[in-house]
Amino acid sequence: MPELPEVETIRRQLAREVKGSVILSADVRFGKRLNLPADRFAAAVRGARIQDVGRRAKLLVFTLSNGWTMVAHLKMTGRFLLKPEGAEPTKHTHVVFHLSGRRQLFFEDVRKFGFIRLFPSGEVEKAVFQKEKYGPEPLEPSFGFDRFAECLMKRASRRVKPSLMDQTCIAGIGNIYADESLWRAGVRPDRRISSLSPAELRKLYRGILTSFRESIKHHGTSADMYVDLYGRQGTYVRKLRVYGREGQRCYRCGGRIVKVRMGGRGTHFCPKCQK
């Protein structure tokens, strides 16, 4: 599933490319992952200008000029692709947005778990963000160490990795970056939060921010099907320290990376240097 760095990469590209564009029309080819009937959805976005493209956690948020806001979640295999007018959609294309400037924006999803939902702009906060109870955004200046530590210590009896992935604690961390951040901190993913020292908490905090910033710099991680707005793979996969490296040597200590199941998710760590 695309995590915060991948979604933020796409957000920045969308903001650069389509902010200010007018949606001339929308062709709904598969409407079961919309929250409105296909004809109502197409009518609601037709003629609207894209005023802004934002992000909350792993959601993309399109603010439209006509009082509607479009919220999209890529889930496992969703993607937005910018194409020239006349490009042919694939069998996995759910919606085609025809934009001013002779361009098209495809929303595709092989697994069909991703969705697009349309809300009156004044209702988005309550209907989406408050309902999901998202925690603080790691890329915001307000996400200081004290706030991070407070979020985790409220879950002191829980294991650290599942807590990092709890979107009500910290928004946007998924399986890849939980593993990577814990490796950077030298902390085993099955540690109880109460056992972490202040120094380990600070290393974990820095590990999260470093992993996110480096990944965004490399346009995300294409460990599976993720591609950016232009159909390009993210190159951070070559920078991963533990995720996807089962059986390989640890870059820090030379130990062997292992993979275990934790909370139903594959979890990678080095048992030699992660304590």
Side-chain angles (χ1 to χ4, degrees), residues 32-151:
K32 292 185 178 181
R33 300 299 288 164
L34 304 177
N35 65 331
L36 295 177
D39 56 346
R40 286 183 58 195
F41 178 89
V45 301
R46 185 181 303 121
R49 185 178 300 276
I50 301 173
Q51 291 184 320
D52 197 14
V53 183
R55 180 191 55 77
R56 185 71 173 97
K58 302 175 188 177
L59 297 172
L60 289 164
V61 183
F62 299 77
T63 303
L64 306 183
S65 62
N66 60 357
W68 290 95
T69 292
M70 191 166 65
V71 178
H73 200 314
L74 303 179
K75 292 292 185 178
M76 295 181 68
T77 59
R79 57 179 63 172
F80 280 99
L81 296 171
L82 189 64
K83 300 284 186 177
E85 186 64 44
E88 289 295 325
T90 72
K91 65 179 181 179
H92 302 301
T93 305
H94 293 195
V95 183
V96 178
F97 297 93
H98 298 275
L99 305 179
S100 55
R102 299 186 57 80
R103 297 180 300 171
Q104 301 176 112
L105 184 63
F106 290 2
F107 176 67
E108 299 186 347
D109 191 359
V110 174
R111 298 287 297 276
K112 298 182 178 178
F113 293 141
F115 61 74
I116 299 179
R117 295 173 182 167
L118 203 59
F119 300 93
S121 295
E123 299 178 9
V124 173
E125 183 67 31
K126 182 177 180 180
V128 182
F129 305 146
Q130 290 183 12
K131 181 180 178 181
E132 296 294 335
K133 300 179 180 178
Y134 288 124
E137 288 282 338
L139 299 183
E140 291 294 323
S142 60
F143 185 69
F145 171 74
D146 289 343
R147 194 173 186 189
F148 164 76
E150 180 184 2
C151 287

Side-chain angles (χ1 to χ4, degrees), residues 50 83 100 126 161 169 227 253 275:
I50 301 173
K83 300 284 186 177
S100 55
K126 182 177 180 180
K161 180 181 176 180
C169 182
V227 294
C253 72
K275 305 302 182 182

Side-chain angles (χ1 to χ4, degrees), residues 13 26-28 40 65 71 75 78 84 94 113 119 136 156 160 185 193 195 199 215 224 231 235 259:
Q13 293 172 340
D27 299 332
V28 179
R40 286 183 58 195
S65 62
V71 178
K75 292 292 185 178
H94 293 195
F113 293 141
F119 300 93
V160 62
I193 293 172
S195 74
S215 183
D224 193 1
T235 59
K259 180 179 179 181

Side-chain angles (χ1 to χ4, degrees), residues 184-240:
R184 288 178 180 273
V187 171
R188 283 177 62 106
D190 56 354
R191 287 270 300 275
R192 301 289 176 182
I193 293 172
S194 59
S195 74
L196 299 179
S197 69
E200 288 174 323
L201 283 171
R202 284 199 174 274
K203 287 180 181 179
L204 183 54
Y205 170 73
R206 290 195 296 267
I208 292 168
L209 297 183
T210 300
S211 295
F212 278 174
R213 289 167 180 163
E214 287 190 0
S215 183
I216 292 169
K217 180 180 177 181
H218 290 86
H219 306 291
T221 300
S222 290
D224 193 1
M225 295 185 65
Y226 160 76
V227 294
D228 69 7
L229 185 65
Y230 311 106
R232 304 177 306 202
Q233 291 188 333
T235 59
Y236 193 63
V237 68
R238 298 196 293 267
K239 303 288 185 178
L240 296 176

